[in-house]
């Protein structure tokens, strides 16, 4: 029988219950939405408008779903989240640009997702009309322990394969979807609103969505940045039932 490989390079497994969302770059403003919209009526004649006029225009654009003026801007986020969240995120195609860390070109980090204590664990109801409720003390314990044990074993086997000289792209296949990955995403305000409309759960939404808690943990942080940099647009988006124009 083959001896086990020498000490793994990254032996210390870490467990995390949060999503990291950092706004690394932004070029977005309510005024730009208004300038883009007004070119259709004033052409190349710069003019200044009051805050009220701008708010009124944004309200009209959002209400009547004139979406293209909301495309002149960009937000770039760096997001670290479990692979299953990245996978849900990257289903969003329109107006989204991505780059993600590679499991072929680098050794992955031993960071794994364990749900926070307040994460509902039990699904009740039927498909399409279900809800989630808190787990019992025992269910909390079982879930936490099962995940930690599985992650630790998966990481050990990953390291074993790397130690034997097996390529990273093959060794990584043993790692579960709870492994954290990091990616950049750049979007415009319109595509961001579309994303938020689907990946947040809100009583005020005209079309209610029921996203998985973990992607909502990402979306909520993105929405805070959106609100900071485009307060009028964000306000109007909320007022009109969170429907992307
Ligand atoms: C609660 C929830 C549950 C989900 N469950 C599942 C699931 O079980 N299985 C699954 O596979 N996915 C699932 N999804 C993913 C979902 O089907 C979408 O892929 C994802 O939400 C991205 O939405 P989108 O296509 O509107 O966004 P984007 O890809 O960003 O597209 C934005 C808009 O552009 C237009 N558009 C983009 N591409 C095209 C195209 N090729 N043709 C025509 N119009 C286009 C559409 O109007 C679209 O709404 C789920 C999503 C949510 C929010």
């Amino acid at each position: 029988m083959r001896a086990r490989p020498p000490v793994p390079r990254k032996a210390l497994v870490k467990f995390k219950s949060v999503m990291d969302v950092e706004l690394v770059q932004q070029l977005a403003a309510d005024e730009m939405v208004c300038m883009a919209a007004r070119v259709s009526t004033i052409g190349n004649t710069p003019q200044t408008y009051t805050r009220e006029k701008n708010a009124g225009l944004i309200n009209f654009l959002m209400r009547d779903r004139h979406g293209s003026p909301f495309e002149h801007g960009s937000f770039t986020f760096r997001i670290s989240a479990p692979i299953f969240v990245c996978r849900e995120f990257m289903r969003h195609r329109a107006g989204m640009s991505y780059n993600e860390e590679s499991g072929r070109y680098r050794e992955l980090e031993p960071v794994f997702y364990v749900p926070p204590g307040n994460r509902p664990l039990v699904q009740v109801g039927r498909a399409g009309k279900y809800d989630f409720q808190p787990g019992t003390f025992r269910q909390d314990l079982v879930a936490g322990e099962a995940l930690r044990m599985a992650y630790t074993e998966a990481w050990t086997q990953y390291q074993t394969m790397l130690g034997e000289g097996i390529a990273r792209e093959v060794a990584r296949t043993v790692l579960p979807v709870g492994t954290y990955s990091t990616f950049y995403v750049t979007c415009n305000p319109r595509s961001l609103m579309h994303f938020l409309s689907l990946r947040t759960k809100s009583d005020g939404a005209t079309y209610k969505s029921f996203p998985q808690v973990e992607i909502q943990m990402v979306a909520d942080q993105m929405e805070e940045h959106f609100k900071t940099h485009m307060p009028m647009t964000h306000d109007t988006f909320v007022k009109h039932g969170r429907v992307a124009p």
Side-chain angles (χ1 to χ4, degrees):
M1 198 176 134
R2 264 193 206 162
R4 273 180 95 80
V7 185
R9 282 167 287 179
K10 289 182 188 169
L12 204 59
V13 172
K14 292 182 210 133
F15 304 113
K16 253 173 94 162
S17 302
V18 294
M19 309 296 151
D20 299 327
V21 175
E22 187 189 347
L23 179 66
V24 291
Q25 176 174 278
Q26 66 84 25
L27 189 67
D30 294 321
E31 292 70 24
M32 189 61 233
V33 176
C34 298
M35 285 196 288
R38 287 194 180 109
V39 76
S40 75
T41 51
I42 66 168
N44 190 20
T45 321
Q47 292 181 29
T48 49
Y49 292 86
T50 61
R51 213 185 129 69
E52 287 65 36
K53 285 261 182 216
N54 282 348
L57 177 57
I58 289 175
N59 185 61
F60 158 73
L61 296 170
M62 196 77 76
R63 188 197 66 205
D64 287 13
R65 304 192 68 206
H66 292 297
S68 54
F70 295 98
E71 292 172 15
H72 300 280
S74 82
F75 292 87
T76 300
F77 298 96
R78 179 171 49 231
I79 296 172
S80 287
I83 288 169
F84 70 87
V85 174
C86 303
R87 184 172 170 175
E88 288 185 346
F89 199 121
M90 289 180 195
R91 295 299 305 278
H92 294 264
R93 301 155 288 176
M96 299 282 196
S97 305
Y98 298 103
N99 282 97
E100 186 180 9
E101 77 176 293
S102 168
R104 299 184 69 198
Y105 305 134
R106 74 185 297 265
E107 184 180 329
L108 295 171
E109 294 295 324
V111 184
F112 300 96
Y113 177 69
V114 175
N118 59 354
R119 200 258 191 247
L121 287 186
V122 181
Q123 185 178 319
V124 288
R126 58 185 166 79
K129 198 173 179 3
Y130 51 76
D131 204 0
F132 287 85
Q133 294 177 357
T136 60
F137 179 69
R138 181 182 163 82
Q139 285 169 327
D140 277 348
L141 273 183
V142 168
E145 201 170 314
L147 287 169
R148 286 184 177 85
M149 280 174 65
Y151 289 149
T152 305
E153 180 58 22
W155 186 256
T156 304
Q157 297 306 331
Y158 177 64
Q159 288 291 319
T160 299
M161 285 189 264
L162 294 181
E164 291 289 339
I166 293 165
R168 289 179 290 257
E169 68 183 35
V170 176
R172 68 170 169 179
T173 54
V174 81
L175 295 175
V177 293
T179 312
Y180 272 73
S181 182
T182 299
F183 66 97
Y184 284 94
V185 56
T186 298
C187 55
N188 65 52
R190 187 185 193 184
S191 53
L192 179 56
M193 285 186 275
H194 183 71
F195 174 84
L196 294 176
S197 73
L198 290 169
R199 301 302 183 174
T200 58
K201 190 175 172 187
S202 167
D203 290 339
T206 303
Y207 304 104
K208 303 225 176 338
S209 190
F210 300 91
Q212 178 154 349
V213 166
E214 284 75 15
I215 194 163
Q216 184 162 359
M217 288 158 74
V218 173
D220 286 343
Q221 294 183 61
M222 293 168 71
E223 184 158 354
E224 281 306 308
H225 291 295
F226 175 44
K227 188 175 170 180
T228 301
H229 294 285
M230 299 187 77
M232 275 184 207
T233 305
H234 176 263
D235 240 35
T236 318
F237 168 64
V238 172
K239 188 175 123 198
H240 287 287
R242 304 176 68 83
V243 178

